[in-house]
mmCIF file of all heavy atoms in Angstrom:
data_model
loop_
_atom_site.group_PDB
_atom_site.id
_atom_site.type_symbol
_atom_site.label_atom_id
_atom_site.label_comp_id
_atom_site.label_asym_id
_atom_site.label_seq_id
_atom_site.Cartn_x
_atom_site.Cartn_y
_atom_site.Cartn_z
ATOM 1 N N HIS N 1 16.704 50.294 10.751
ATOM 2 C CA HIS N 1 17.192 50.449 9.370
ATOM 3 C C HIS N 1 18.011 49.201 8.908
ATOM 4 O O HIS N 1 17.976 48.887 7.668
ATOM 5 C CB HIS N 1 18.256 51.678 9.345
ATOM 6 C CG HIS N 1 18.891 52.044 8.037
ATOM 7 N ND1 HIS N 1 18.168 52.683 7.046
ATOM 8 C CD2 HIS N 1 20.128 51.808 7.603
ATOM 9 C CE1 HIS N 1 18.974 52.759 6.029
ATOM 10 N NE2 HIS N 1 20.188 52.224 6.286
ATOM 11 N N ALA N 2 18.641 48.607 9.814
ATOM 12 C CA ALA N 2 19.483 47.414 9.481
ATOM 13 C C ALA N 2 18.653 46.291 8.898
ATOM 14 O O ALA N 2 19.086 45.648 7.868
ATOM 15 C CB ALA N 2 20.254 46.839 10.804
ATOM 16 N N ILE N 3 17.500 45.987 9.469
ATOM 17 C CA ILE N 3 16.714 44.829 8.974
ATOM 18 C C ILE N 3 15.629 45.228 7.989
ATOM 19 O O ILE N 3 15.008 44.204 7.438
ATOM 20 C CB ILE N 3 16.126 44.098 10.209
ATOM 21 C CG1 ILE N 3 14.992 45.071 10.818
ATOM 22 C CG2 ILE N 3 17.180 43.665 11.210
ATOM 23 C CD1 ILE N 3 14.213 44.236 11.855
ATOM 24 N N GLU N 4 15.495 46.475 7.677
ATOM 25 C CA GLU N 4 14.345 46.902 6.803
ATOM 26 C C GLU N 4 14.244 46.134 5.488
ATOM 27 O O GLU N 4 13.139 45.760 5.071
ATOM 28 C CB GLU N 4 14.444 48.436 6.599
ATOM 29 C CG GLU N 4 13.236 48.940 5.780
ATOM 30 C CD GLU N 4 13.459 50.464 5.616
ATOM 31 O OE1 GLU N 4 14.460 51.027 6.010
ATOM 32 O OE2 GLU N 4 12.403 51.087 4.993
ATOM 33 N N PRO N 5 15.395 45.940 4.726
ATOM 34 C CA PRO N 5 15.241 45.198 3.406
ATOM 35 C C PRO N 5 14.903 43.720 3.530
ATOM 36 O O PRO N 5 14.574 43.156 2.638
ATOM 37 C CB PRO N 5 16.529 45.415 2.814
ATOM 38 C CG PRO N 5 17.285 46.479 3.621
ATOM 39 C CD PRO N 5 16.889 46.376 4.956
ATOM 40 N N TYR N 6 15.125 43.167 4.732
ATOM 41 C CA TYR N 6 15.074 41.692 4.823
ATOM 42 C C TYR N 6 13.796 41.202 5.554
ATOM 43 O O TYR N 6 13.588 39.967 5.766
ATOM 44 C CB TYR N 6 16.243 41.210 5.680
ATOM 45 C CG TYR N 6 17.572 41.958 5.093
ATOM 46 C CD1 TYR N 6 18.139 42.982 5.949
ATOM 47 C CD2 TYR N 6 18.040 41.612 3.923
ATOM 48 C CE1 TYR N 6 19.301 43.473 5.391
ATOM 49 C CE2 TYR N 6 19.206 42.213 3.356
ATOM 50 C CZ TYR N 6 19.843 43.220 4.089
ATOM 51 O OH TYR N 6 21.003 43.862 3.701
ATOM 52 N N THR N 7 12.946 42.087 6.035
ATOM 53 C CA THR N 7 11.723 41.617 6.746
ATOM 54 C C THR N 7 10.658 42.666 6.526
ATOM 55 O O THR N 7 10.987 43.922 6.564
ATOM 56 C CB THR N 7 11.967 41.197 8.146
ATOM 57 O OG1 THR N 7 10.700 40.971 8.797
ATOM 58 C CG2 THR N 7 12.519 42.422 8.955
ATOM 59 N N GLU N 8 9.403 42.334 6.485
ATOM 60 C CA GLU N 8 8.342 43.260 6.438
ATOM 61 C C GLU N 8 7.901 43.658 7.785
ATOM 62 O O GLU N 8 7.163 44.731 7.964
ATOM 63 C CB GLU N 8 7.163 42.699 5.650
ATOM 64 C CG GLU N 8 7.431 42.582 4.168
ATOM 65 C CD GLU N 8 6.362 42.041 3.395
ATOM 66 O OE1 GLU N 8 5.152 41.787 3.935
ATOM 67 O OE2 GLU N 8 6.437 41.742 2.132
ATOM 68 N N LYS N 9 8.184 42.868 8.774
ATOM 69 C CA LYS N 9 7.750 43.096 10.138
ATOM 70 C C LYS N 9 8.505 44.327 10.788
ATOM 71 O O LYS N 9 9.772 44.456 10.646
ATOM 72 C CB LYS N 9 7.899 41.929 11.035
ATOM 73 C CG LYS N 9 7.466 41.949 12.429
ATOM 74 C CD LYS N 9 7.481 40.679 13.265
ATOM 75 C CE LYS N 9 7.186 40.865 14.647
ATOM 76 N NZ LYS N 9 5.926 41.572 14.906
ATOM 77 N N ARG N 10 7.770 45.154 11.486
ATOM 78 C CA ARG N 10 8.424 46.228 12.223
ATOM 79 C C ARG N 10 8.324 45.844 13.756
ATOM 80 O O ARG N 10 7.182 45.580 14.226
ATOM 81 C CB ARG N 10 7.773 47.526 11.887
ATOM 82 C CG ARG N 10 8.081 47.955 10.477
ATOM 83 C CD ARG N 10 9.589 48.249 10.261
ATOM 84 N NE ARG N 10 9.881 48.385 8.733
ATOM 85 C CZ ARG N 10 10.458 47.425 8.072
ATOM 86 N NH1 ARG N 10 10.657 46.148 8.657
ATOM 87 N NH2 ARG N 10 10.751 47.629 6.833
ATOM 88 N N HIS N 11 9.365 45.992 14.440
ATOM 89 C CA HIS N 11 9.431 45.433 15.842
ATOM 90 C C HIS N 11 9.334 46.595 16.776
ATOM 91 O O HIS N 11 9.713 47.770 16.583
ATOM 92 C CB HIS N 11 10.775 44.787 16.073
ATOM 93 C CG HIS N 11 10.936 43.520 15.205
ATOM 94 N ND1 HIS N 11 10.328 42.378 15.496
ATOM 95 C CD2 HIS N 11 11.540 43.297 14.117
ATOM 96 C CE1 HIS N 11 10.560 41.483 14.651
ATOM 97 N NE2 HIS N 11 11.336 42.022 13.659
ATOM 98 N N THR N 12 8.719 46.355 17.956
ATOM 99 C CA THR N 12 8.509 47.391 18.914
ATOM 100 C C THR N 12 9.794 47.568 19.702
ATOM 101 O O THR N 12 10.751 46.789 19.597
ATOM 102 C CB THR N 12 7.311 46.957 19.961
ATOM 103 O OG1 THR N 12 7.889 45.708 20.587
ATOM 104 C CG2 THR N 12 6.058 46.606 19.161
ATOM 105 N N ARG N 13 9.813 48.680 20.408
ATOM 106 C CA ARG N 13 10.978 48.947 21.294
ATOM 107 C C ARG N 13 11.164 47.792 22.313
ATOM 108 O O ARG N 13 12.272 47.395 22.527
ATOM 109 C CB ARG N 13 10.787 50.266 22.093
ATOM 110 C CG ARG N 13 10.590 51.440 21.072
ATOM 111 C CD ARG N 13 10.097 52.704 21.866
ATOM 112 N NE ARG N 13 11.058 53.377 22.780
ATOM 113 C CZ ARG N 13 11.867 54.312 22.385
ATOM 114 N NH1 ARG N 13 11.827 54.684 21.091
ATOM 115 N NH2 ARG N 13 12.690 54.838 23.294
ATOM 116 N N GLU N 14 9.990 47.292 22.822
ATOM 117 C CA GLU N 14 10.159 46.297 23.802
ATOM 118 C C GLU N 14 10.715 44.989 23.157
ATOM 119 O O GLU N 14 11.543 44.226 23.907
ATOM 120 C CB GLU N 14 8.739 45.957 24.373
ATOM 121 C CG GLU N 14 8.159 46.962 25.318
ATOM 122 C CD GLU N 14 7.766 48.232 24.469
ATOM 123 O OE1 GLU N 14 7.391 48.209 23.284
ATOM 124 O OE2 GLU N 14 7.852 49.256 25.137
ATOM 125 N N GLU N 15 10.383 44.736 21.979
ATOM 126 C CA GLU N 15 11.039 43.536 21.227
ATOM 127 C C GLU N 15 12.554 43.723 21.114
ATOM 128 O O GLU N 15 13.319 42.735 21.273
ATOM 129 C CB GLU N 15 10.371 43.321 19.963
ATOM 130 C CG GLU N 15 8.929 42.726 20.111
ATOM 131 C CD GLU N 15 8.193 42.710 18.712
ATOM 132 O OE1 GLU N 15 8.244 43.616 17.967
ATOM 133 O OE2 GLU N 15 7.692 41.553 18.378
ATOM 134 N N TRP N 16 12.951 44.860 20.784
ATOM 135 C CA TRP N 16 14.368 45.195 20.656
ATOM 136 C C TRP N 16 15.028 45.050 21.933
ATOM 137 O O TRP N 16 16.116 44.447 22.179
ATOM 138 C CB TRP N 16 14.588 46.543 20.043
ATOM 139 C CG TRP N 16 14.426 46.641 18.456
ATOM 140 C CD1 TRP N 16 13.438 47.377 17.811
ATOM 141 C CD2 TRP N 16 15.168 45.966 17.515
ATOM 142 N NE1 TRP N 16 13.607 47.161 16.432
ATOM 143 C CE2 TRP N 16 14.603 46.329 16.266
ATOM 144 C CE3 TRP N 16 16.183 44.957 17.606
ATOM 145 C CZ2 TRP N 16 15.134 45.842 15.096
ATOM 146 C CZ3 TRP N 16 16.681 44.466 16.377
ATOM 147 C CH2 TRP N 16 16.098 44.892 15.138
ATOM 148 N N PHE N 17 14.403 45.616 23.077
ATOM 149 C CA PHE N 17 15.034 45.593 24.392
ATOM 150 C C PHE N 17 15.234 44.128 24.760
ATOM 151 O O PHE N 17 16.229 43.766 25.347
ATOM 152 C CB PHE N 17 14.059 46.288 25.365
ATOM 153 C CG PHE N 17 14.078 47.804 25.235
ATOM 154 C CD1 PHE N 17 13.025 48.490 25.718
ATOM 155 C CD2 PHE N 17 15.016 48.497 24.535
ATOM 156 C CE1 PHE N 17 12.884 49.870 25.511
ATOM 157 C CE2 PHE N 17 14.946 49.860 24.411
ATOM 158 C CZ PHE N 17 13.824 50.570 24.890
ATOM 159 N N ALA N 18 14.260 43.321 24.562
ATOM 160 C CA ALA N 18 14.411 41.916 24.909
ATOM 161 C C ALA N 18 15.477 41.107 24.237
ATOM 162 O O ALA N 18 16.046 40.150 24.705
ATOM 163 C CB ALA N 18 13.053 41.187 24.614
ATOM 164 N N ALA N 19 15.843 41.704 23.045
ATOM 165 C CA ALA N 19 16.922 41.079 22.236
ATOM 166 C C ALA N 19 18.357 41.608 22.661
ATOM 167 O O ALA N 19 19.329 40.847 22.288
ATOM 168 C CB ALA N 19 16.709 41.255 20.762
ATOM 169 N N PHE N 20 18.455 42.727 23.358
ATOM 170 C CA PHE N 20 19.663 43.313 23.643
ATOM 171 C C PHE N 20 20.522 42.353 24.525
ATOM 172 O O PHE N 20 19.926 41.649 25.349
ATOM 173 C CB PHE N 20 19.447 44.656 24.443
ATOM 174 C CG PHE N 20 18.976 45.745 23.432
ATOM 175 C CD1 PHE N 20 18.782 46.982 24.024
ATOM 176 C CD2 PHE N 20 18.893 45.569 22.135
ATOM 177 C CE1 PHE N 20 18.411 48.073 23.109
ATOM 178 C CE2 PHE N 20 18.527 46.545 21.293
ATOM 179 C CZ PHE N 20 18.292 47.856 21.833
ATOM 180 N N GLY N 21 21.859 42.580 24.515
ATOM 181 C CA GLY N 21 22.667 41.754 25.324
ATOM 182 C C GLY N 21 23.947 41.357 24.576
ATOM 183 O O GLY N 21 24.968 41.878 24.863
ATOM 184 N N PRO N 22 23.804 40.669 23.518
ATOM 185 C CA PRO N 22 25.004 40.257 22.608
ATOM 186 C C PRO N 22 25.278 41.496 21.728
ATOM 187 O O PRO N 22 24.529 42.466 21.690
ATOM 188 C CB PRO N 22 24.480 39.065 21.855
ATOM 189 C CG PRO N 22 23.050 39.201 21.761
ATOM 190 C CD PRO N 22 22.569 39.887 23.097
ATOM 191 N N ALA N 23 26.444 41.398 20.928
ATOM 192 C CA ALA N 23 26.800 42.300 19.908
ATOM 193 C C ALA N 23 25.756 42.481 18.912
ATOM 194 O O ALA N 23 24.821 41.623 18.791
ATOM 195 C CB ALA N 23 28.160 41.943 19.378
ATOM 196 N N GLU N 24 25.786 43.774 18.261
ATOM 197 C CA GLU N 24 24.762 44.080 17.229
ATOM 198 C C GLU N 24 24.406 43.073 16.280
ATOM 199 O O GLU N 24 23.238 42.824 15.966
ATOM 200 C CB GLU N 24 25.115 45.419 16.695
ATOM 201 C CG GLU N 24 25.255 46.610 17.534
ATOM 202 C CD GLU N 24 26.690 46.938 18.010
ATOM 203 O OE1 GLU N 24 27.541 46.027 17.768
ATOM 204 O OE2 GLU N 24 26.780 47.889 18.641
ATOM 205 N N MET N 25 25.479 42.380 15.655
ATOM 206 C CA MET N 25 25.225 41.505 14.658
ATOM 207 C C MET N 25 24.346 40.304 15.181
ATOM 208 O O MET N 25 23.612 39.699 14.482
ATOM 209 C CB MET N 25 26.464 40.960 14.021
ATOM 210 C CG MET N 25 26.312 40.365 12.621
ATOM 211 S SD MET N 25 27.851 39.686 11.869
ATOM 212 C CE MET N 25 28.767 41.258 11.733
ATOM 213 N N ASP N 26 24.590 39.879 16.366
ATOM 214 C CA ASP N 26 23.835 38.694 16.971
ATOM 215 C C ASP N 26 22.448 39.246 17.297
ATOM 216 O O ASP N 26 21.448 38.378 17.281
ATOM 217 C CB ASP N 26 24.570 38.249 18.145
ATOM 218 C CG ASP N 26 25.795 37.442 17.725
ATOM 219 O OD1 ASP N 26 25.941 36.877 16.754
ATOM 220 O OD2 ASP N 26 26.770 37.482 18.480
ATOM 221 N N VAL N 27 22.340 40.515 17.740
ATOM 222 C CA VAL N 27 20.903 40.913 17.934
ATOM 223 C C VAL N 27 20.113 40.923 16.627
ATOM 224 O O VAL N 27 19.011 40.458 16.518
ATOM 225 C CB VAL N 27 20.951 42.340 18.518
ATOM 226 C CG1 VAL N 27 19.567 43.010 18.551
ATOM 227 C CG2 VAL N 27 21.587 42.294 19.877
#
């Protein structure tokens, strides 16, 4: 929901998992 207005690409769970680690804004 956060990125929906700013990109047409929809990311997989695996892509999100790979980005996890820093705080939400940095993800």
Side-chain angles (χ1 to χ4, degrees):
H1 182 75
I3 69 170
E4 184 179 6
Y6 313 108
T7 177
E8 294 182 0
K9 181 173 172 56
R10 292 296 168 260
H11 297 280
T12 65
R13 296 165 77 91
E14 289 70 28
E15 287 175 311
W16 283 118
F17 291 158
F20 285 178
E24 296 96 348
M25 198 179 301
D26 291 326
V27 172

